[in-house]
Amino acid sequence: HNIILVSENNGERWDEDPKIIKIDGYTETSSRDPIVELNDGTLILSVYAGAPSRTDRVFLLRSFDNGKTWGNVSTIIQDKEFSYSQHDGINYNETAIIPLDQNHLLAVARTDVSFHTEGESMIVGGIGEMTQVESFDAGFSWTKPKPTGIFGQPPHLLRMDKSRIVMTYGYRKLPYGIRAVVSYDNGKTWDIDNPIIIRDDGLTWDIGYPSSVQIDENTVLTVYYFVDNNGTRFIESTKWNLKK
């Protein structure tokens, strides 16, 4: 379940009664991305649900009271056929959202299909190229899915300035690692011919889930998980620079 805790004193104390987010027709939902605050104070959160009984579908939830209650659900992206099996069709799930302008939002979704990598066949889920959609009405409706041409999972979006957006993601093909691409036109296109290789020394495909913050004008700190020789997962970070 997605569970919301609220603090009224800057994190010193938290609600003792967690709030479970529910969507009609789904017993459980999951989320990967943080809550986003819009210009008018509305909080939005992308969640997904479906597998294994259906293909994963991504929803947008809203809160108009600083996270105390959530609802007003709309669909961000789903398989056009909306298959009743995760084995058949496209699973859209872990989705990053970033405001582009007033009421204009960009969302990039992890996009799973059957996949085979270095002797391992992922019949369910797997890894595909990420997909983006846009909303021009604060997330109430979304455009037709558009392939980004970027292979990875899942995405994280970071605004650097008025025009540059950095997308970081796990790269689960050899050489396994963490990568980034940059948009120089506010998310319209991505510089896919010049990916930034943050790490390329992963020992397994089981890595990724980066989150990035801006340190200064051209410096980014990216946190992610990796796996060591013993199969133990751990958290690391890399500070890296964008080309000027």
Side-chain angles (χ1 to χ4, degrees), residues 17-201:
D17 182 23
K19 299 170 179 62
I20 299 177
I21 294 177
K22 295 182 180 181
I23 296 176
D24 290 343
Y26 295 87
T27 58
E28 297 179 355
T29 61
S30 299
S31 179
R32 127 81 178 172
D33 217 50
I35 294 169
V36 175
E37 183 175 6
L38 302 183
N39 290 336
D40 64 358
T42 301
L43 302 182
I44 60 173
L45 174 67
S46 68
V47 303
Y48 64 93
S53 60
R54 311 177 189 177
T55 49
D56 275 331
R57 174 183 181 183
V58 184
F59 303 90
L60 185 74
L61 302 178
R62 295 174 182 81
S63 174
F64 302 107
D65 55 10
N66 296 317
K68 294 178 181 179
T69 60
W70 292 82
N72 209 263
V73 180
S74 58
T75 298
I76 296 177
I77 186 171
Q78 71 176 59
D79 184 6
K80 188 175 182 180
E81 302 299 328
F82 194 45
S83 171
Y84 280 85
S85 169
Q86 64 176 350
H87 299 275
D88 176 33
I90 301 173
N91 290 276
Y92 295 108
N93 40 59
E94 298 159 335
T95 298
I97 300 178
I98 190 171
L100 297 179
D101 202 346
Q102 186 173 4
N103 297 326
H104 187 188
L105 308 177
L106 170 68
V108 179
R110 170 178 166 178
T111 307
D112 286 352
V113 292
S114 296
F115 180 71
H116 183 84
T117 179
E118 299 303 315
E120 294 184 75
S121 179
M122 302 178 195
I123 299 174
V124 177
I127 308 121
E129 294 182 353
M130 292 175 285
T131 305
Q132 73 179 53
V133 291
E134 293 180 66
S135 173
F136 298 93
D137 54 13
F140 287 95
S141 63
W142 295 83
T143 58
K144 181 179 179 179
K146 174 184 175 183
T148 63
I150 304 166
F151 181 94
Q153 89 174 54
H156 179 268
L157 298 173
L158 171 67
R159 175 171 296 287
M160 296 295 291
D161 50 39
K162 292 184 179 180
S163 59
R164 292 184 302 170
I165 298 174
V166 172
M167 183 196 306
T168 45
Y169 54 94
Y171 190 75
R172 294 183 166 185
K173 291 194 297 187
L174 286 172
Y176 306 124
I178 310 297
R179 297 191 176 194
V181 292
V182 183
S183 172
Y184 297 97
D185 54 11
N186 208 29
K188 294 179 181 178
T189 61
W190 300 94
D191 189 10
I192 62 176
D193 293 329
N194 296 289
I196 299 166
I197 300 175
I198 300 171
R199 292 282 297 269
D200 65 356
D201 57 338

